[in-house]
Amino acid sequence: MAKALQALIFDVDGTLADTERDGHRVAFNAAFKEAALDWDWSESLYGELLAVTGGKERIRFYLEKFNAEFEKPAQFDAFVAGLHAAKTTHFVEMMRRGEIPLRPGVERLIKEARAAKMRLAIATTTTPANVEALVSSTLGCDAMQWFEVIAAGDIVPSKKPAPDIYQYALAKMGLDADQCIAFEDSLNGILSSQAAGLKTIITVNGYTCNDDFSGAVIVLDQMGEPATPCKVLKGGADVSYLDLATVKKLFEA
Ligand code: XBP
Ligand code: MG
């Protein structure tokens, strides 16, 4: 017999909030400027850089693929780590100022799930401080405790698309993949969640709307609200917004 749904596991960037273009990208550029580097990641370049998850990994990828003539300093690892730490400071400040809201339907679904005693977790490649800043500035300062596991950043050696971060969250919760559902927005995200064996609901954003989401339970433009419904981009179900009953139905289908 199929197991009942026990937990919702959320990606952060792109899924809870549209953080990439106006959040992470802007914070990277601020850190570059501060370090007197003339690097400027445009919106379209950033779309290409998103092929690699993780900020430190993304900086290295940029230098390999798009700025190979840059002369690397002797202490290159420390240089990347320093740039990334500065970027995190900028990003955290932006989140604290409330610059990026949650996506439509996210707060409603999380609060409904919590009221129904559904278990909640986060699985993301982003730095833990970023998750804390976004979650507490949007959902309130006690909201980090709503999630029994915050699996984030360098806690696992291999970031998405590797399954490690989801496997880590499942192990911490003591749950099997067939008792949980993941919420993702990107190809690297669904590759990670599916490799961990999780059914996955996709809400796309501007950077990911052309990604290949074969195997997703459903692909939506957003979670939607009763008054502002979502669009179903792929998948048979007739969904106007994601509530817990709909998530359970999609999980069981
Ligand atoms: C998110 C990311 C992150 C952020 C930057 O991917 O790729 O790297 O862009 O975060 P996902 P850090 O949503 O699939 O988890 O700079 O803190 O690494
Ligand atoms: Mg994401």
Side-chain angles (χ1 to χ4, degrees):
M1 209 180 88
K3 293 181 188 168
L5 181 63
Q6 301 288 332
L8 314 186
I9 310 180
F10 293 92
D11 168 50
V12 174
D13 296 304
T15 300
L16 296 188
D18 235 326
T19 46
E20 293 292 7
R21 190 190 65 191
D22 300 329
H24 289 292
R25 185 185 68 87
V26 173
F28 277 113
N29 283 335
F32 301 153
K33 201 165 172 195
E34 225 165 48
L37 295 163
D38 64 354
W39 311 349
D40 182 43
W41 290 359
S42 67
E43 290 180 17
S44 69
L45 171 63
Y46 196 69
E48 300 194 56
L49 296 174
L50 283 173
V52 170
T53 66
K56 294 184 286 294
E57 294 82 350
R58 190 166 298 145
I59 291 170
R60 290 170 184 278
F61 176 62
Y62 163 71
L63 289 176
E64 268 162 42
K65 284 272 151 65
F66 299 93
N67 193 357
E69 57 280 8
F70 176 72
E71 230 174 273
K72 292 181 184 168
Q75 307 294 321
F76 184 57
D77 286 353
F79 167 76
V80 171
L83 272 181
H84 187 252
K87 176 259 168 179
T88 299
T89 301
H90 284 289
F91 184 84
V92 164
E93 279 166 9
M94 292 168 75
M95 296 307 108
R96 296 232 182 281
R97 290 197 295 267
E99 287 187 18
I100 312 259
L102 295 178
R103 296 190 64 190
V106 168
E107 177 168 355
R108 178 187 44 71
L109 177 64
I110 288 177
K111 287 188 169 166
E112 187 196 353
R114 187 172 136 71
K117 304 242 180 317
M118 180 64 63
R119 297 168 69 179
L120 302 173
I122 278 176
T124 174
T125 65
T126 207
T127 302
N130 298 345
V131 183
E132 203 276 327
L134 174 73
V135 166
S136 43
S137 78
T138 53
L139 291 170
C141 42
D142 64 337
M144 283 294 274
Q145 289 152 29
W146 302 355
F147 300 91
E148 74 179 80
V149 180
I150 309 265
D154 297 326
I155 203 162
V156 289
S158 304
K159 293 183 178 168
K160 298 174 189 177
D164 304 32
I165 198 75
Y166 278 102
Q167 287 166 342
Y168 177 93
L170 290 171
K172 281 272 169 192
M173 286 191 290
L175 289 172
D176 295 326
D178 59 359
Q179 297 174 290
C180 306
I181 194 158
F183 295 82
E184 275 289 354
D185 70 301
S186 69
L187 176 62
N188 281 324
I190 194 173
L191 288 173
S192 171
S193 58
Q194 285 189 322
L198 286 151
K199 291 186 178 174
T200 304
I201 292 175
I202 296 289
T203 47
V204 300
N205 59 64
Y207 278 128
T208 65
C209 52
N210 296 317
D211 285 1
D212 174 7
F213 292 117
S214 327
V217 166
I218 197 165
V219 182
L220 305 171
D221 68 333
Q222 52 165 304
M223 292 187 189
E225 294 285 14
T228 50
C230 58
K231 280 198 197 87
V232 179
L233 305 175
K234 199 170 158 277
D238 184 17
V239 173
S240 65
Y241 66 96
L242 273 189
D243 60 2
L244 191 58
T246 308
V247 171
K248 282 184 181 168
K249 234 186 267 165
L250 291 166
F251 173 79
E252 285 157 14

